[in-house]
Amino acid sequence: MLSSLLINDAGFAKQAEVILSPNFDNRPNKSNINLIVIHNISLPPGIYGGNNIIDLFTNKLNPDSHEYFKSISGLKVSSHFLIRRDGVLIQFVSCLDRAWHAGESTWNQVNNCNDFSIGIELEGSDYDSFESKQYKCLEKLIQSIVKQYPIESIVGHSDISPSRKTDPGPYFDWKKIELYTEKLKYKR
């Protein structure tokens, strides 16, 4: 469990395990990081643990290890952070860079949310509750991000891509991060 969490000037959480993803590029404006997007992910769907999420974000997913993986093995995706079921924090991309987590998206009438957002994946699904250790880690991570960047909104993937996405899903408890969303400029 993380007692505190700091994001350094290079955009990395000092307490995170860093596993670099090749799936990122430069942001068009590094000073315009103002959105946090919360996702859920499990690979295969509904199965937790293992390295499949890491393998997906690092382009090492074996399409022959599960039938579902054949449909996603060619994807070039990443997120800045992953919070495992046990609360372990992994970082794949510096907050200063553009991770490829949101896809086609719009927030406050601005397209391409990857340009100005930080993506946080929670290991989970639309069909299960998240763990208290995940919420504790998420709270500390949000607190650190808000201290480092001018965050205006915290939203779900479903808020920025409502016709394509449902995550973080109905079991994500927004009240657990209410303290941070109340102080923001825009509400979800």
Side-chain angles (χ1 to χ4, degrees), residues 14 20 66 68 110 183 187:
K14 292 181 181 180
L20 295 177
H66 190 277
Y68 178 75
V110 181
K183 296 177 183 178
K187 305 296 183 212

Side-chain angles (χ1 to χ4, degrees), residues 52-172:
N52 294 325
I53 299 168
I54 294 168
D55 291 347
L56 175 67
F57 290 166
T58 57
N59 301 336
K60 296 176 183 172
L61 189 65
N62 180 352
D64 297 323
S65 63
H66 190 277
E67 186 64 31
Y68 178 75
F69 297 166
K70 288 178 173 59
S71 66
I72 63 168
S73 66
L75 293 179
K76 302 289 187 213
V77 296
S78 62
S79 186
H80 293 91
F81 297 98
L82 168 67
I83 300 175
R84 307 291 309 244
R85 301 291 288 178
D86 60 3
V88 169
L89 180 65
I90 300 172
Q91 186 167 4
F92 295 95
V93 175
S94 164
C95 293
L96 298 177
D97 291 317
R98 177 171 48 193
W100 303 342
H101 62 95
E104 187 177 326
S105 53
T106 302
W107 181 247
N108 283 337
Q109 301 175 355
V110 181
N111 294 331
N112 302 318
C113 293
N114 284 340
D115 291 353
F116 54 92
S117 67
I118 293 175
I120 302 172
E121 295 275 2
L122 297 174
E123 186 176 24
S125 73
D126 286 2
Y127 308 104
D128 291 312
S129 297
F130 295 93
E131 302 293 334
S132 62
K133 288 181 179 181
Q134 289 179 287
Y135 285 112
K136 287 176 184 169
C137 181
L138 178 61
E139 181 181 346
K140 291 179 186 318
L141 180 57
I142 289 171
Q143 186 176 31
S144 300
I145 293 169
V146 168
K147 281 181 184 176
Q148 191 76 3
Y149 306 104
I151 300 300
E152 297 177 350
S153 301
I154 301 172
V155 299
H157 200 183
S158 58
D159 295 314
I160 62 171
S161 300
S163 62
R164 312 183 295 113
K165 297 296 180 176
T166 59
D167 58 315
Y171 288 96
F172 182 76

Side-chain angles (χ1 to χ4, degrees), residues 166-183:
T166 59
D167 58 315
Y171 288 96
F172 182 76
D173 187 353
W174 287 98
K175 290 180 183 172
K176 302 263 186 185
I177 61 166
E178 197 169 68
L179 173 67
Y180 301 100
T181 58
E182 286 178 357
K183 296 177 183 178

